[in-house]
């Protein structure tokens, strides 16, 4: 019921394994196998058996400690405990690599593409708005140029009329 | 077989991060 | 039976659980053999100390093999059970768990189709942005052109204004009127002259 940490579970499993292994290799069994020697030297047999058991347990426990040490297993298992704890609300089977890297990479890259797209959208909208203003300014400018051209044209025509008057005057003045 | 599994698993763990670094650099450059 | 490569576990641990357990199995087994060997060595040594010992080393070897065979059987059986538990409870990523580096698969799941659409949309946006930039250049260019043209036109108007101001400065408020009145006066003068000439001829 109580959720043991993976490290505790591992130690418990190894202890249980050792317990059962030693239980299997009982003193009874040992003396059965080394019957004659046991009959000759019962105390010695007991000592040898005890040494056998303690040595086996020590070696196996040392091996486990070494493996824990080597692969930094305790920290790794504790971090796995945390990850599992954090993900326990999520009941459905979680995603797993599909075996097609291109496919799996889509979700990895997608958030950054979405950012890129949003940034581009903002840039485009901003530029469109600016261009809208520029376009209005250009239209206003065109109207203003047109007005100025009309003004110049009117003045020009006035001067041309003047020129005609002038020519007429000359013709009048020059008349014989 | 074991080495292949570990090799693939290692790539699955680290390559997305590396690729992402390149992708982010590329996107930044494009934006600039 | 299909082998479960436990690749996802390997992604987390950096080794396959099976390899880890194989390593443990081999180490444990070696210890069992070593300890048994040590037991046999001790017994043989003790027997050397016993005068007229009837037990031969061969017999002791047989005893060792018998005990080891039994222990190995129990060892394999127990280790098999422990291995199952290891693989199920310790070195396993539960099916509902996602590793941190794969979180995005959950937060931003994206199919290849969606991914390509997203990239296409980005390319289109880039094109649109380039177009807008070109539009901006064109509009700015036209504004600059308008600025020059307007300056020129205003310069021309100023020229006309200055001309009129000159006229005004010399008492001619409106050139045209003055010219028209000049023409009229000239015509009058000419008529008078013609009349005078005619009179003089007549006289």
């Amino acid at each position: 019921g109580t959720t043991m940490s993976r490290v505790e579970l591992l130690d418990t499993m190894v202890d249980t394994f050792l317990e059962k292994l030693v239980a299997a290799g009982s003193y009874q069994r040992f003396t059965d196998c080394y019957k004659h020697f046991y009959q000759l030297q019962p105390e010695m047999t007991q000592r040898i058996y005890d040494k056998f058991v303690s040595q086996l347990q020590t070696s196996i426990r040392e091996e486990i400690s070494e493996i824990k040490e080597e692969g930094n297993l305790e920290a790794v298992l504790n971090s796995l405990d945390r990850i599992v704890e954090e993900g326990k609300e999520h009941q459905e089977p979680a995603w797993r690599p599909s075996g097609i890297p291109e496919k799996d990479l889509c979700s990895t890259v997608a958030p950054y593409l979405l950012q890129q797209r949003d940034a581009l959208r903002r840039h485009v909208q901003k530029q469109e708005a600016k261009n809208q203003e520029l376009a209005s300014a250009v239209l206003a400018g065109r109207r203003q140029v047109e007005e100025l051209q009309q003004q110049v044209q009117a003045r020009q025509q006035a001067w041309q009329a003047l020129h005609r008057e002038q020519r007429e005057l000359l013709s009048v003045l020059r008349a014989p | 077989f074991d080495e292949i599994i570990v090799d693939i698993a290692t790539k699955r763990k680290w390559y997305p991060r590396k690729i992402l670094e390149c992708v982010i650099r590329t996107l930044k450059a494009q934006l600039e | 039976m299909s082998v479960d490569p436990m690749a996802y576990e390997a992604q987390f641990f950096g080794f396959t659980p099976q390899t880890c357990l194989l390593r443990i199995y081999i180490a444990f087994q070696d210890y069992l053999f070593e300890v048994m060997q040590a037991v046999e060595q001790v017994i043989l040594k003790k027997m050397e100390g016993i005068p007229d010992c009837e037990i031969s080393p061969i017999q002791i070897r047989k005893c060792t093999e018998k005990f080891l065979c039994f222990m190995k059987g129990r060892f394999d059986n127990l280790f098999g059970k422990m291995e199952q538990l290891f693989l199920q409870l310790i070195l396993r990523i539960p099916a509902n768990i996602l590793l941190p580096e794969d979180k995005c698969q959950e937060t931003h799941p994206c199919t290849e189709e969606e991914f390509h659409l997203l990239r296409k949309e980005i390319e289109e946006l880039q094109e649109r942005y380039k177009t807008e930039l070109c539009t901006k250049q064109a509009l700015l260019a036209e504004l600059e052109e308008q600025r020059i043209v307007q300056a020129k036109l205003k310069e021309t108007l100023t020229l006309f204004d200055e001309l009129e101001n000159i006229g005004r400065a010399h008492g001619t408020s409106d050139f045209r009127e003055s010219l028209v009145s000049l023409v009229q006066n000239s015509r009058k003068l000419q008529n008078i002259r013609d009349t005078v000439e005619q009179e003089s001829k007549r006289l």
Side-chain angles (χ1 to χ4, degrees):
Chain A
T2 56
T3 46
M4 283 171 92
S5 76
R6 280 176 168 72
V7 173
E8 286 165 348
L9 205 48
L10 185 148
D11 292 339
T12 307
M13 276 188 207
V14 172
D15 291 345
T16 310
F17 169 78
L18 276 174
E19 219 172 276
K20 291 184 184 287
L21 187 64
V22 168
S26 65
Y27 183 57
Q28 176 62 44
R29 177 85 56 187
F30 188 78
T31 51
D32 284 350
C33 292
Y34 289 99
K35 195 187 300 289
H36 299 141
F37 183 74
Y38 168 65
Q39 283 153 1
L40 277 179
Q41 300 271 335
E43 296 79 24
M44 176 53 69
T45 309
Q46 178 67 56
R47 279 209 301 278
I48 291 172
Y49 174 76
D50 294 344
K51 187 67 184 158
F52 158 74
V53 170
S54 66
Q55 186 59 42
L56 187 61
Q57 287 172 331
T58 308
S59 307
I60 282 181
R61 289 212 167 91
E62 276 171 5
E63 175 65 18
I64 287 293
S65 306
E66 209 176 293
I67 285 176
K68 279 182 183 176
E69 200 71 30
E70 210 177 278
N72 196 20
L73 211 49
E74 288 213 9
V76 170
L77 290 176
N78 291 333
S79 81
L80 181 52
D81 286 341
R82 277 194 300 279
I83 291 169
V84 170
E85 182 59 27
E86 284 157 16
K88 67 181 180 186
E89 286 77 40
H90 189 277
Q91 286 312 315
E92 306 77 53
W95 174 89
R96 284 293 181 268
S98 66
I100 307 167
E102 298 81 356
K103 189 172 171 204
D104 296 348
L105 212 55
C106 290
S107 302
T108 308
V109 176
Y112 299 88
L113 289 189
L114 287 166
Q115 281 176 22
Q116 177 84 339
R117 180 200 62 184
D118 297 345
L120 272 171
R121 273 181 178 166
R122 283 195 302 276
H123 279 70
V124 167
Q125 281 155 12
K126 207 158 61 175
Q127 196 55 54
E128 279 173 342
K130 274 187 195 165
N131 286 352
Q132 203 57 50
E133 287 168 22
L134 284 175
S136 314
V138 162
L139 291 178
R142 285 180 187 171
R143 279 194 298 278
Q144 200 179 356
V145 164
E146 209 170 307
E147 279 159 27
L148 287 171
Q149 275 170 336
Q150 282 162 6
Q151 285 177 37
V152 166
Q153 205 164 8
R155 308 287 282 274
Q156 198 178 0
Q157 281 160 3
W159 278 94
Q160 275 162 355
L162 204 59
H163 186 58
R164 276 199 300 283
E165 304 287 347
Q166 191 193 25
R167 274 217 305 275
E168 194 178 334
L169 175 63
L170 286 180
S171 65
V172 166
L173 291 179
R174 216 177 279 129
Chain B
F1 184 51
D2 186 73
E3 278 162 15
I4 292 172
I5 295 172
V6 172
D7 179 45
I8 288 174
T10 310
K11 285 175 179 163
R12 280 177 178 170
K13 187 180 188 77
W14 298 112
Y15 277 27
R17 214 167 292 188
K18 287 186 183 170
I19 292 169
L20 212 44
E21 284 164 14
C22 298
V23 166
I24 291 170
R25 261 202 306 275
T26 307
L27 292 177
K28 276 203 177 110
Q30 271 179 356
L31 215 45
E32 277 153 26
Chain C
M1 181 189 93
S2 69
V3 175
D4 173 8
M6 297 185 86
Y8 207 52
E9 283 72 13
Q11 183 176 322
F12 176 74
F13 289 109
F15 53 78
T16 53
Q18 294 93 331
T19 311
C20 177
L21 279 159
L22 179 63
R23 150 88 195 266
I24 293 174
Y25 175 80
I26 290 170
F28 281 16
Q29 184 182 246
D30 288 352
Y31 288 128
L32 180 61
F33 290 164
E34 278 167 24
V35 171
M36 283 312 303
Q37 206 168 18
V39 161
E40 184 180 80
Q41 291 307 316
V42 167
I43 290 175
L44 289 174
K45 201 171 285 306
K46 291 301 172 198
M47 276 168 41
E48 281 165 12
I50 301 169
D52 307 330
C53 177
E54 293 147 15
I55 309 172
S56 69
I58 296 291
Q59 282 173 306
I60 292 299
R61 170 51 55 101
K62 282 198 173 25
C63 300
T64 308
E65 280 168 358
K66 184 180 168 191
F67 185 68
L68 179 55
C69 177
F70 171 76
M71 287 299 280
K72 182 70 169 57
R74 297 297 294 142
F75 173 92
D76 285 343
N77 178 281
L78 286 168
F79 195 90
K81 289 197 175 83
M82 183 169 79
E83 178 179 16
Q84 289 313 315
L85 288 171
F86 249 71
L87 293 178
Q88 278 162 26
L89 302 175
I90 295 181
L91 300 179
R92 159 107 22 215
I93 309 288
N96 66 317
I97 295 300
L98 200 56
L99 291 176
E101 64 265 25
D102 293 328
K103 270 291 175 257
C104 56
Q105 302 294 346
E106 197 174 76
T107 51
H108 296 91
C110 179
T111 63
E112 283 184 286
E113 177 61 28
E114 289 162 341
F115 188 78
H116 291 306
L117 286 175
L118 187 52
R119 290 192 65 171
K120 195 156 165 287
E121 187 180 354
I122 285 176
E123 279 159 19
E124 284 163 8
L125 280 166
Q126 277 167 345
E127 283 315 307
R128 269 180 61 192
Y129 188 59
K130 282 180 197 154
T131 307
E132 287 304 322
L133 287 182
C134 295
T135 309
K136 170 189 156 190
Q137 296 308 331
L139 290 168
L140 289 175
E142 175 157 351
L143 280 175
E144 178 55 21
E145 220 174 282
Q146 285 179 2
R147 195 183 60 74
I148 294 168
V149 167
Q150 285 171 13
K152 277 273 177 263
L153 290 168
K154 282 176 182 161
E155 197 182 307
T156 308
L157 287 172
T158 309
L159 181 69
F160 282 129
D161 289 343
E162 279 162 9
L163 282 174
E164 276 161 25
N165 290 341
I166 291 168
R168 226 166 268 124
H170 294 81
T172 319
S173 62
D174 178 323
F175 270 109
R176 191 154 185 288
E177 273 169 28
S178 55
L179 256 183
V180 166
S181 68
L182 258 179
V183 168
Q184 283 163 358
N185 292 339
S186 316
R187 276 216 179 86
K188 276 182 197 155
L189 281 174
Q190 274 175 346
N191 293 340
I192 292 167
R193 190 199 55 187
D194 292 350
T195 315
V196 169
E197 272 176 2
Q198 279 162 15
E199 276 305 305
S200 63
K201 277 182 193 153
R202 201 169 52 77
L203 293 178

